[in-house]
């Protein structure tokens, strides 16, 4: 993702294992800032009423205090440690391999690499995704229906014990589908936007990474929200007398459109973009800075 080979001002690429570690660390760092927006987004998506962004925040704070906005943080961090570590590690590894001979990838090629990285990451990260969604949504349920998970690991162990191990991959298909859309849009758009902005403006460093990230975040939000809300509803659904609330992703989509309207597929757009935009910006800035610090370290230069 960086133009980095050799010395003379160019960055030295880290080895593959370090690329994975940097990807996970960048995602976890960004999550520390945006977890409240993720929680609000999840609450709005599982709600079958039209409660808006600010009323949802007020309801959370009133019921659980300001710390309630960080409910599910452990699951959010675990999700980054599994999903983001994998997707960014796979993407940067494949991207660098395919461009090592000076070949410049086309946008469709970048999108294909992003889809591959997203699919692998989502498959590995689905259990932590389910834990995150349930912990984030728990406070919106009546007291008698709350699951009261104490941590991400408690959620995962209880789901496996109470519902079976395969329940940890419930909604895996829409999760993988969402991840493929997200990563095709986010990673490919970021790489292309960074190339375009870098070639047509004087921006470099953090301003360049910030600009490319904002473009990437908006494109990703528009493309991925319908898949995201289907995934969220599936993973948070309950069983009534042994019968699941939904039969599958298509049933969720048809139910939402029929009962709530087509635009409900983009319910929670503001908190979603408010979460995804900064998360994209912070993740890529942290990732680029860690890559640059590694290069300076290998050259024997001052890291700071």
């Amino acid at each position: 993702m960086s133009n980095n080979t050799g010395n003379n001002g160019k960055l030295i690429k880290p080895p593959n294992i370090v690329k994975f570690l940097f990807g996970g660390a960048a995602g976890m760092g960004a999550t520390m800032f945006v977890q409240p927006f993720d929680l609000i987004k999840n609450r709005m998506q599982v709600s079958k009423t039209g409660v808006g962004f600010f009323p949802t925040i007020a309801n959370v704070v009133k019921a659980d205090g300001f710390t309630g906005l960080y409910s599910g943080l452990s699951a959010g961090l675990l999700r980054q440690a599994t999903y983001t570590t994998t997707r960014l590690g796979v993407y940067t590894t494949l991207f660098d391999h395919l461009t090592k001979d000076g070949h410049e990838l086309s946008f469709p090629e970048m999108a294909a690499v992003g889809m591959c990285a997203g699919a692998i990451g989502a498959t590995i990260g689905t259990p932590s995704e389910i834990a995150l969604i349930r912990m984030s949504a728990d406070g919106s349920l009546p007291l008698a229906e709350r699951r009261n998970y104490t941590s991400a690991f408690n959620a995962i162990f209880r789901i496996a014990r109470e519902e079976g191990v395969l329940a940890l991959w419930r909604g895996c298909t829409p999760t993988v589908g969402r991840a493929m859309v997200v990563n095709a849009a986010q990673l490919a758009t970021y790489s292309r936007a960074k190339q375009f902005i870098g070639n047509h403006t004087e921006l470099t460093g953090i301003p360049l990474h910030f600009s490319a990230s904002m473009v990437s975040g908006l494109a990703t939000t528009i493309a991925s929200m319908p898949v995201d809300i289907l995934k969220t509803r599936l993973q948070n659904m309950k069983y009534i007398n042994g019968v699941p609330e939904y039969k599958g992703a298509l049933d969720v989509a048809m139910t939402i459109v029929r009962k709530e309207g087509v635009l409900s597929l983009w319910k929670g757009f503001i908190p979603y973009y408010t979460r995804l935009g900064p998360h994209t910006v912070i993740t890529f800035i942290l990732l680029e800075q860690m890559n640059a610090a590694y290069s300076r370290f290998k050259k024997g230069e001052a890291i700071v």
Side-chain angles (χ1 to χ4, degrees):
M1 294 174 69
S2 303
N3 299 322
N4 43 12
T5 54
N7 299 301
N8 300 322
K10 292 187 177 180
L11 299 180
I12 298 174
K13 298 175 183 178
N16 290 339
I17 185 63
V18 176
K19 292 174 184 175
F20 280 79
L21 293 174
F22 282 178
M28 292 174 76
T31 292
M32 294 296 295
F33 288 93
V34 304
Q35 175 64 21
F37 299 106
D38 205 27
L39 179 136
I40 298 303
K41 182 267 296 182
N42 286 333
R43 292 280 179 94
M44 291 180 68
Q45 288 186 338
V46 300
S47 171
K48 297 176 177 61
T49 63
V51 180
F53 179 52
F54 292 108
T56 302
I57 294 177
N59 290 339
V60 172
V61 173
K62 181 180 179 180
D64 304 313
F66 284 100
T67 57
L69 293 170
Y70 276 88
S71 296
L73 177 61
S74 63
L77 293 175
L78 180 61
R79 178 177 180 272
Q80 296 302 316
T82 52
Y83 168 63
T84 300
T85 295
T86 304
R87 74 181 181 99
L88 288 182
V90 169
Y91 183 80
T92 53
T93 299
L94 290 178
F95 186 94
D96 289 343
H97 176 73
L98 294 172
T99 58
K100 64 181 180 181
D101 296 324
H103 172 66
E104 185 172 305
L105 296 182
S106 65
F107 185 81
E109 289 173 325
M110 291 179 185
V113 174
M115 291 175 71
C116 178
I120 296 172
T123 302
I124 294 173
T126 295
S128 57
E129 180 89 14
I130 291 179
L132 171 62
I133 288 172
R134 290 193 177 186
M135 292 178 72
S136 297
D138 211 37
S140 64
L141 298 173
L143 289 175
E145 297 180 16
R146 293 185 183 181
R147 299 179 175 100
N148 295 316
Y149 299 130
T150 58
S151 69
F153 291 108
N154 174 254
I156 290 173
F157 290 141
R158 279 184 51 190
I159 291 169
R161 184 177 69 246
E162 297 168 7
E163 304 172 44
V165 173
L166 292 181
L168 291 171
W169 277 270
R170 180 179 296 154
C172 185
T173 298
T175 300
V176 170
R178 172 194 177 274
M180 293 175 72
V181 172
V182 165
N183 286 278
Q186 185 186 60
L187 301 180
T189 302
Y190 176 78
S191 296
R192 178 60 74 199
K194 191 171 75 166
Q195 287 179 353
F196 181 86
I197 295 171
N199 291 338
H200 292 83
T201 71
E202 299 298 319
L203 293 179
T204 59
I206 291 179
L208 171 61
H209 304 151
F210 177 85
S211 301
S213 297
M214 289 303 292
V215 173
S216 172
L218 181 59
T220 305
T221 300
I222 295 171
S224 67
M225 273 212 72
V227 185
D228 188 72
I229 194 169
L230 302 186
K231 173 192 69 66
T232 300
R233 291 281 180 96
L234 270 177
Q235 292 179 329
N236 193 59
M237 73 176 177
K238 288 186 171 293
Y239 281 71
I240 303 173
N241 297 324
V243 179
E245 188 177 0
Y246 302 108
K247 298 176 182 178
L250 182 59
D251 184 40
V252 178
M254 293 176 65
T255 301
I256 291 174
V257 171
R258 184 175 66 253
K259 294 184 176 180
E260 304 170 45
V262 174
L263 293 181
S264 289
L265 292 172
W266 282 269
K267 181 184 290 184
F269 183 91
I270 293 176
Y272 191 96
Y273 181 64
T274 305
R275 181 260 181 198
L276 186 62
H279 193 279
T280 302
V281 170
I282 296 169
T283 297
F284 283 124
I285 287 178
L286 288 176
L287 183 61
E288 299 278 10
Q289 293 305 303
M290 284 188 283
N291 285 332
Y294 176 86
S295 180
R296 291 194 295 270
F297 171 76
K298 295 298 288 186
K299 293 177 183 179
E301 300 173 0
I303 294 179
V304 180

